[in-house]
Amino acid sequence: CHCALGQLVPAPPASEMASAVTSALACVALTVLATSQSLLVEAAKARGGGKIPYDTSAAVLLTEALKLGIALCTWLWQRKSLNYTGLESFQLVSWPTAAYAVPATFFIVQNNLVFLALSLLDPPTFQLWACFKIIPVGVLARLMLGQRRSSVQWVSLLLLSLGMGVTTTKQDSGAGTKAAASVALGISVLLGNGCLSALSSVLNEWLIKVQDPRAPLMFKNMQIYSWGVLTAAAYSLSRSDSAASWAASMQHTLFTAPLGGLIVLNNAAVGLCVSAVLKYADNLTKGFSTSASVLLASVASSVAFGFVPSRAFLLGAAVVCIAFYLYFGAHNAVLLQHDEEAERGRSPSESSTLLAAPDPSPFPSRGGARV
């Protein structure tokens, strides 16, 4: 037990503590990997004369195949110790199985759009604008999953978007109209991709948490990655003149292109971390974790690629930090309790447990939201 406001409050159950720790570790890993994602692509562009030196559709297919292989091996390793493996209720031809095709298809489109945006923007700008989807994610999570958030948390989402908007992309006034056009195109791609990503992410969270909730995470990952491999293979093949050229492109991406294999491995790790965050937290926690990588990306880019943050960029980063505090602060537990009491028609002061135990964890099981 621990004491809060003079009252003894039971300590959180061990399962909740384990879930919070797992969520925190997954979020930290996602932040680091999301940072390295853009940095690796930028390094590959530097070695490739300013362009991505490999077929991006091949990289997406290889990433999906690697994620599928890791999920399959992990599930087979866990299977002997599982009371419920997921096969008990699995039907190959069924609506639940077909439902995984929807986010899988969206993810393939998103991944290819991400590569396009990465080729047009520097890493810190990419990371900032990639966080735009945090707003439609919050709205769709409320509508589709019933997740509730305090008024302060909604303000924090707006502040996060503001932090992205005030940042500048280039400090060099002589960059020219071509550079400006590339930046505008890259930002437009990210904005459209953000809306598509929000829909697919919330649907994916629903599949992980609601659809057959007893099924292991890796069993569900196997289903969505299987669809991902199929759709990515179809898209990649459609871009090739022949099977031989397609195979050559795959080999070049994985073994010959500068940093190609490492980028594929990093992207696969990002995807697996995302599924873990959705399982133990939610999409908005994932979004904040990804946005945190902007700070790491800016620091690393200033050293590796000569990126010099402008005053507007530093202001945007400061606003992002404020948004983090407002969203994950313990005050939200009190505000959510207040809203619930108000909806029941009872004064918050009448509740003896209102201020008893605000959750101090920045990574609760629902990411600070009530479902």
Side-chain angles (χ1 to χ4, degrees):
C1 298
H2 63 275
C3 182
L5 298 181
Q7 299 181 4
L8 288 177
V9 180
S15 59
E16 291 187 10
M17 291 296 296
S19 178
V21 171
T22 303
S23 174
L25 292 175
C27 289
V28 170
L30 179 59
T31 300
V32 174
L33 291 168
T35 302
S36 61
Q37 181 185 45
S38 58
L39 294 175
L40 285 171
V41 173
E42 189 71 10
K45 286 163 55 180
R47 296 186 182 184
K51 298 181 179 179
I52 294 180
Y54 51 82
D55 184 359
T56 56
S57 64
V60 171
L61 173 56
L62 290 168
T63 298
E64 292 298 311
L66 181 57
K67 289 193 295 184
L68 175 59
I70 294 174
L72 175 60
C73 292
T74 304
W75 178 75
L76 290 174
W77 178 70
Q78 294 175 333
R79 185 178 178 183
K80 295 181 180 180
S81 60
L82 294 174
N83 295 325
Y84 182 81
T85 65
L87 288 175
E88 292 83 350
S89 59
F90 176 76
Q91 294 181 345
L92 183 60
V93 182
S94 64
W95 157 244
T97 302
Y100 285 93
V102 178
T105 303
F106 285 172
F107 286 151
I108 298 304
V109 177
Q110 293 165 219
N111 285 335
N112 284 280
L113 290 177
V114 163
F115 276 114
L116 174 59
L118 283 169
S119 67
L120 297 170
L121 300 173
D122 55 71
T125 303
F126 170 84
Q127 294 291 355
L128 282 171
W129 283 95
C131 296
F132 159 78
K133 64 182 179 182
I134 204 80
I135 299 297
V137 163
V139 174
L140 291 176
R142 181 70 180 100
L143 296 176
M144 298 174 61
L145 299 175
Q147 294 178 356
R148 301 182 57 187
R149 283 163 180 93
S150 71
S151 56
V152 171
Q153 287 178 313
W154 283 110
V155 170
S156 72
L157 299 184
L158 294 175
L159 283 177
L160 186 62
S161 295
L162 178 63
M164 294 184 289
V166 300
T167 186
T168 57
T169 55
K170 298 287 184 181
Q171 277 192 267
D172 185 5
S173 58
T177 56
K178 182 177 180 180
S182 296
V183 169
L185 178 58
I187 291 175
S188 299
V189 169
L190 283 179
L191 293 179
N193 195 40
C195 294
L196 181 63
S197 176
L199 178 59
S200 61
S201 295
V202 173
L203 178 57
N204 194 34
E205 184 178 348
W206 181 86
L207 290 169
I208 289 176
K209 289 180 176 176
V210 181
Q211 175 64 33
D212 194 8
R214 295 183 299 161
L217 175 61
M218 288 302 166
F219 183 77
K220 294 189 173 188
N221 281 344
M222 286 164 51
Q223 296 181 69
I224 192 169
Y225 298 156
S226 295
W227 284 108
V229 168
L230 291 176
T231 53
Y235 178 75
S236 181
L237 285 168
S238 67
R239 291 166 52 91
S240 300
D241 298 330
S242 63
S245 64
W246 176 78
S249 176
M250 298 287 288
Q251 182 179 2
H252 171 74
T253 300
L254 191 59
F255 300 109
T256 308
L259 302 177
L262 188 57
I263 289 173
V264 168
L265 179 61
N266 185 88
N267 289 350
V270 168
L272 292 167
C273 283
V274 165
S275 68
V277 172
L278 293 184
K279 172 69 174 179
Y280 297 103
D282 58 32
N283 264 296
L284 287 180
T285 302
K286 182 198 77 173
F288 271 90
S289 298
T290 304
S291 67
S293 63
V294 66
L295 303 179
L296 295 177
S298 61
V299 173
S301 292
S302 65
V303 176
F305 307 116
F307 174 80
V308 180
S310 65
R311 292 181 180 179
F313 180 88
L314 294 176
L315 175 62
V319 173
V320 168
C321 292
I322 294 173
F324 263 78
Y325 170 74
L326 293 178
Y327 187 85
F328 292 107
H331 51 266
N332 290 296
V334 179
L335 294 173
L336 285 169
Q337 183 75 39
H338 182 281
D339 293 342
E340 291 179 358
E341 294 293 339
E343 287 185 2
R344 297 192 189 106
R346 181 171 58 180
S347 173
S349 61
E350 297 175 7
S351 175
S352 61
T353 61
L354 176 59
L355 299 177
D359 187 356
S361 171
F363 298 101
S365 59
R366 294 295 183 188
R370 298 292 178 90
V371 180

